[in-house]
Amino acid sequence: MFMKYRNLAGEPSAVFRLGIIGSDNSHAEAFSRLTNLASSEPRIEDARVTHIYGTDPERTKEVATKCEIPNIVTRSEEMLGNVDGVLCVWRHASKHMPDTLPFIKAGIPAFVDKPLAHTVADARQLIDTALTSKVGFTSFSTLRYCKPTVDWIASLPGAVEKPVTGMSAGPAEIDSEYDGLPFYGVHTVEMMLATFGYGVESVTAVEQNKNVMATCRYKSGPVVTLNFLYHAAYVFHVTVYGTKGYSSHAVDSGDSYYQGMKVIMETLRTGKWPLTPEQLLEPVQVLSATLKSLAEKREVALSEV
C-alpha cells in the first residue's frame, strides 16, 4: 500500500516521511517520539519524521536530537518534495495558515494542530484549499481521541438518553502569549463538540478575574457552558445532563498523542477526512464568537464571525 512513497535517496519505501513545522511546541517532540524512537511504547509503525523546521535554532536542534530527526531545514519550503505529509504544530495559531498553505497547494496532506487557525477566514482558506487540492487534511485536539473518553462518549445514550444541558471545563489563559484564549481554550471547546455534537448557534460569554464562562446554544436544543479556567486546578472535565440521567467524565490524557497520531496517519495516508469541513471550522467559530461576545458584551451568533 505504501510503496508509492520514496525515501530520501529516491528509492521505493514503505516508510511515510513526515515534516514537522514548528519546533517550539511540545507536540513536535511528542509526535516525533511515536514515529522515530524504537524505545517508544506504543509506537507508530511505517512512519518517520525526517525533517523539522523552527525559528529557534537551539530548540529545533534539541527536538531533532532527542527524536532522531535527520534533517533540520532553515525554511519550511525546503521540505517540499522531500516529505509525504506535514504536521504544523506551532503554538501560535496565526502561523498555521501561511505555513501550511504551500504544502496543501502542492498536494501534500497535512495535519494542523489545535486550533486550526487564529481567525475564521484563515480556517476557511485552509479548508477550501485542501478541498480543491483533494488532499488528506485535518485538525483537532488529541484529547478527543483518548480511549477512555471515546468509550465514555459512546456510553452516553444509555446513561443519559437525550442530552439537555451540561458543561465542558479546562484550563485556558485569556492573556496567553500564544495568541490568547484559543491556544488552550480549544481543548475545552473540542471536548464539548465531541460530546454534545456540532451545531452551536450562538455564544454568550462573561469574564471575571480572567476566568471565562461561555454559554453555547445549540440549534438542536441543548445549552452547554464552557468554563475556561484561569486560576483553578488543572483539569479537563465534562458533564452531561439528559432526559434519563447524568454522567461526568474527567479526561485522562495518557494515550492522547498515540490515539491522535493514529487518526492523523490514517488521514495522511488515505486522504480520508475524519472531520467534515464544517466540523473543522466550528471550533474556530465558537472561540471567535466567545472573544467577540466578551468584547461587545452580548450574545454572538456563529454566523457573525
Side-chain angles (χ1 to χ4, degrees), residues 6-11 13 17 48 50-51 70-71 81-83:
R6 294 182 175 274
N7 61 25
L8 299 180
E11 302 164 340
S13 174
R17 303 163 301 171
R48 180 171 171 81
T50 58
H51 292 70
N71 300 286
N82 293 311
V83 296

Side-chain angles (χ1 to χ4, degrees), residues 61-109:
K61 184 178 180 181
E62 177 188 18
V63 178
T65 300
K66 284 183 177 180
C67 300
E68 300 177 9
I69 302 171
N71 300 286
I72 296 174
V73 297
T74 56
R75 294 170 54 253
S76 60
E77 290 84 353
E78 292 175 41
M79 298 185 201
L80 288 166
N82 293 311
V83 296
D84 304 307
V86 292
L87 312 180
C88 183
V89 299
W90 288 117
R91 284 183 171 135
H92 289 87
S94 54
K95 295 183 177 182
H96 291 174
M97 188 276 289
D99 279 9
T100 307
L101 211 59
F103 290 88
I104 55 179
K105 281 183 175 179
I108 296 173

Side-chain angles (χ1 to χ4, degrees), residues 198-230:
Y198 293 80
V200 173
E201 190 170 41
S202 67
V203 179
T204 306
V206 294
E207 177 266 329
Q208 183 161 314
N209 297 325
K210 298 186 180 180
N211 290 286
V212 175
M213 180 179 290
T215 301
C216 300
R217 289 199 302 112
Y218 274 78
K219 296 175 185 177
S220 58
V223 58
V224 183
T225 301
L226 297 170
N227 290 285
F228 300 105
L229 310 174
Y230 192 88

Side-chain angles (χ1 to χ4, degrees), residues 124-136:
R124 288 187 190 279
Q125 186 169 0
L126 281 168
I127 293 166
D128 290 346
T129 304
L131 286 170
T132 300
S133 298
K134 298 180 180 179
V135 296

Side-chain angles (χ1 to χ4, degrees), residues 155-216:
S155 75
L156 287 174
V160 307
E161 202 169 71
K162 184 179 180 180
V164 174
T165 187
M167 57 81 68
S168 176
E173 296 181 4
I174 193 169
D175 54 358
S176 169
E177 62 181 302
Y178 306 116
D179 291 334
L181 183 74
F183 169 61
Y184 231 70
V186 67
H187 287 302
T188 298
V189 173
E190 287 217 21
M191 287 307 305
M192 174 188 72
L193 297 173
T195 303
F196 292 88
Y198 293 80
V200 173
E201 190 170 41
S202 67
V203 179
T204 306
V206 294
E207 177 266 329
Q208 183 161 314
N209 297 325
K210 298 186 180 180
N211 290 286
V212 175
M213 180 179 290
T215 301
C216 300

Side-chain angles (χ1 to χ4, degrees), residues 16 18 31 34-35 43-45 86-87 109-112 136-147 150 190 255-276 279-280:
F16 194 103
L18 293 167
F31 289 136
L34 287 170
T35 59
R43 188 180 182 211
I44 300 294
E45 302 292 343
V86 292
L87 312 180
F111 165 77
V112 180
F137 181 74
T138 197
S139 173
F140 51 75
S141 160
T142 58
L143 288 182
R144 68 183 298 149
Y145 290 112
C146 299
K147 190 174 187 309
V150 171
E190 287 217 21
D255 69 344
S256 63
Y257 290 120
Y258 175 66
Q259 298 297 343
M261 191 62 172
K262 287 199 299 182
V263 176
I264 291 168
M265 291 312 305
E266 179 72 9
T267 303
L268 302 188
R269 283 170 168 155
T270 68
K272 296 178 181 178
W273 294 28
L275 299 169
T276 68
Q279 290 170 341
L280 287 171

